[in-house]
Amino acid sequence: GYTNRRDGSHVVREIHEPEAVVVRRIFQMAADGKGLQKIAKALTAEGVPGPRGHGWSLTGVREMLHREGYRGTLVYGKTRWIDKGGTKKKVDVPETEWITTAAEHLRIVPETLWKAANDRMARTYAVYLRQNNGQLHGKPESGLESNYLLSGFLKCGVCGGSLVVIRRSGKQRRT
């Protein structure tokens, strides 16, 4: 969504409008209920160039939807390098130490669209089934478009928990 232009002794970041259109489209698709994989597959199928010039990945779409810069906010200092036994190692910095700066001239996504997409993703994340150790286990009940009519409707008659179907692929044998 951005391009860098050298301006004398420093570099200026500017919005690259053809890419910004794709960024806004990704946010709109997420707000409309499309999942990360559906967004990535749709963009790849349409031949939209990805961030690295070829197809789109689920992780790339996720990273874009969480990037604060698209809403006109720059965050500095999320990581720093420390010397660990003679070698440098990158470490995460606590959020309380981050430096946040407003950069309205770099806003690509309107705040209403940013909020709609991120609220929808938060609702979806909250309904994923989890095991006691926090590991994901199952499909969300709602919030995403589904190819299956009855997704999210089946409940256990005893505990009220959601029922899921796990489809195995490949040539695994049960003994």
Side-chain angles (χ1 to χ4, degrees), residues 34-52:
K34 299 253 191 272
L36 301 174
Q37 191 167 18
K38 281 194 178 188
I39 294 171
K41 284 184 176 183
L43 294 172
T44 300
E46 293 171 17
V48 176
R52 300 199 188 274

Side-chain angles (χ1 to χ4, degrees), residues 13 59 85:
R13 181 182 288 179
T59 55

